[in-house]
Amino acid sequence: MAEDNNPLLKALPPELDYISYLTVLEYNLTAEQLPVLHGILQDTTLTANIGWDLVHLLLPLLPDSQTCLQDVARLGNPREVVLKVTELLEGLATLDGPPEDEEDQEELAEELAGLEVQEEGKDQKEQSNVGDTIPSQDVASQEATEQKDGSEPRDVPPKVMQFSALVDILAILHPRIKTKHPSRFLSTSLQAVLPAYATLLKHDETTETLLTFIKTFAGARRPKLPPRKSSTQILTQPQARNTSLSAPDPEGNDEPVAPEEEALQRKLLQSFLTFVVEGYMSSIPADDDVVAMSWSSRLRERLHPDKNIPGRRTLREAFEHDEELHRRDSVIGRML
């Protein structure tokens, strides 16, 4: 049978040790083998031992490898996979290109580091599991892919797809980590996400992915807004947020979360969202007829309609009917 000759099945441990099996996967993993790998990864013991080293092999095979990435996020060792994901995000941030505003990146690093000072000396062993440095910035400016038709999905660049997949599995991994100070892992991830986002912020899909990621950590939620049409593709699959079948943290402990952790994580996410908003606003083209969001002009049109020029389309009408402006308004509405 063909399955008997499949190298992925023939070399399964205990036939080979885990390291040797990873070498077999590296040389034999193709898009056609992904269904087989999906079945193999249902073995929680195997996935916990090799999952962290599969992420970089699966990224080039997106979007076909999305299911396998979800398997790694649900069943792999969450601490090891988180560190691997942050390493790959740092790699996305080292694209060749002109640097963005480095002062903003340094400001975020200082703010995140300042929040972490509150926890220094509490648990040295756990502190060693995460890094406290923010990667250097070499930010590239990539052209956004134009949508050919309003009803057709836009082509998504590979880097955008990889970024969305990595952030997506971070949203699964962090709730799985059972530790007294989860903010230490969250801080490390946020420091890796932001520089990668800075290289890709011209693509709306990356902003949508980050907003979904932030909402997974939100406690109290505001009422849902009325539905808004948007041309932005949501790259996250619906089942990506389902962690009910996730394996427990093999290195977790029963120690309760520190009382100040909830407030500290909220501060980290608020600071992170501030920089996401700033980055998104700075990515809006400055040569448009409509400058950024034109909030002041739109407010004037609403408060003083008698000053509007008859026969001329108002900015409020432009944001309501123009697809690009309406999409821009929708993204900002989700942020604020």
Side-chain angles (χ1 to χ4, degrees):
M1 295 177 63
E3 292 186 358
D4 296 334
N5 296 323
N6 192 310
L8 301 190
L9 297 174
K10 289 177 62 178
L12 273 172
E15 188 69 27
L16 293 178
D17 59 76
Y18 294 126
I19 300 299
S20 300
Y21 187 65
L22 282 169
T23 304
V24 173
L25 286 173
E26 183 176 358
Y27 284 97
N28 292 276
L29 187 59
T30 61
E32 292 73 20
Q33 292 277 31
L34 289 175
V36 177
L37 180 62
H38 171 60
I40 293 173
L41 291 178
Q42 303 314 303
D43 183 340
T44 55
T45 302
L46 176 66
T47 307
N49 282 278
I50 70 172
W52 66 275
D53 210 20
L54 289 179
V55 182
H56 74 284
L57 298 178
L58 293 170
L59 280 185
L61 299 177
L62 285 169
D64 298 333
S65 61
Q66 184 74 21
T67 302
C68 291
L69 282 171
Q70 301 301 322
D71 293 334
V72 172
R74 292 187 303 104
L75 305 176
N77 186 318
R79 300 170 188 243
E80 294 178 349
V81 180
V82 160
L83 294 177
K84 186 64 176 182
V85 170
T86 55
E87 176 187 333
L88 293 171
L89 285 168
E90 290 171 1
L92 290 179
T94 58
L95 303 175
D96 294 333
E100 294 282 346
D101 190 351
E102 295 183 357
E103 293 183 359
D104 288 346
Q105 307 301 331
E106 294 174 358
E107 183 180 345
L108 175 67
E110 293 174 359
E111 186 165 351
L112 293 177
L115 291 171
E116 287 187 313
V117 167
Q118 305 172 19
E119 302 224 338
E120 287 183 0
K122 290 184 178 179
D123 191 348
Q124 294 298 329
K125 181 179 179 181
E126 198 167 62
Q127 180 71 18
S128 63
N129 289 335
V130 293
D132 295 318
T133 58
I134 189 167
S136 59
Q137 306 300 310
D138 287 321
V139 181
S141 175
Q142 298 184 352
E143 295 183 358
T145 305
E146 295 183 357
Q147 188 173 7
K148 297 179 180 180
D149 185 88
S151 60
E152 297 180 359
R154 296 180 293 181
D155 293 332
V156 180
K159 293 292 184 183
V160 175
M161 195 174 300
Q162 292 176 12
F163 174 85
S164 298
L166 292 173
V167 174
D168 182 53
I169 64 177
L170 277 179
I172 298 176
L173 291 166
H174 278 285
R176 290 185 56 208
I177 299 176
K178 302 305 178 183
T179 176
K180 186 177 181 180
H181 303 290
S183 62
R184 295 174 179 174
F185 288 90
L186 179 60
S187 174
T188 303
S189 296
L190 295 182
Q191 292 184 49
V193 168
L194 187 66
Y197 172 65
T199 70
L200 303 167
L201 52 79
K202 294 184 181 298
H203 302 279
D204 297 326
E205 291 81 6
T206 59
T207 302
E208 293 283 355
T209 298
L210 286 186
L211 294 178
T212 304
F213 170 76
I214 293 173
K215 285 188 175 182
T216 61
F217 293 90
R221 299 175 182 269
R222 68 179 184 180
K224 292 185 177 180
L225 296 173
R228 296 170 173 171
K229 60 182 180 180
S230 174
S231 61
T232 304
Q233 287 181 264
I234 304 297
L235 301 182
T236 302
Q237 295 186 354
Q239 63 268 30
R241 304 300 172 193
N242 182 14
T243 60
S244 59
L245 301 178
S246 298
D249 182 2
E251 302 178 31
N253 52 60
D254 298 330
E255 199 173 4
V257 177
E260 69 276 9
E261 276 296 305
E262 183 178 350
L264 184 56
Q265 291 186 76
R266 187 182 303 113
K267 289 180 180 179
L268 287 170
L269 291 170
Q270 288 173 345
S271 175
F272 179 73
L273 180 59
T274 299
F275 282 90
V276 171
V277 173
E278 181 179 354
Y280 180 79
M281 293 292 291
S282 65
S283 71
I284 297 177
D287 55 353
D288 285 354
D289 294 335
V290 180
V291 179
M293 301 304 299
S294 299
W295 280 316
S296 58
S297 299
R298 292 158 67 186
L299 180 62
R300 178 191 58 78
E301 291 176 349
R302 180 174 182 176
L303 297 179
H304 304 285
D306 54 302
K307 296 184 179 181
N308 296 338
I309 301 177
R312 182 177 178 180
R313 188 174 71 163
T314 64
L315 288 172
R316 293 180 62 197
E317 294 172 340
F319 273 88
E320 182 177 352
H321 300 292
D322 186 277
E323 183 178 348
E324 172 64 21
L325 296 178
H326 188 86
R327 177 203 54 73
R328 187 186 302 175
D329 213 17
S330 176
V331 173
I332 289 293
R334 290 192 62 194
M335 291 181 179
L336 305 179

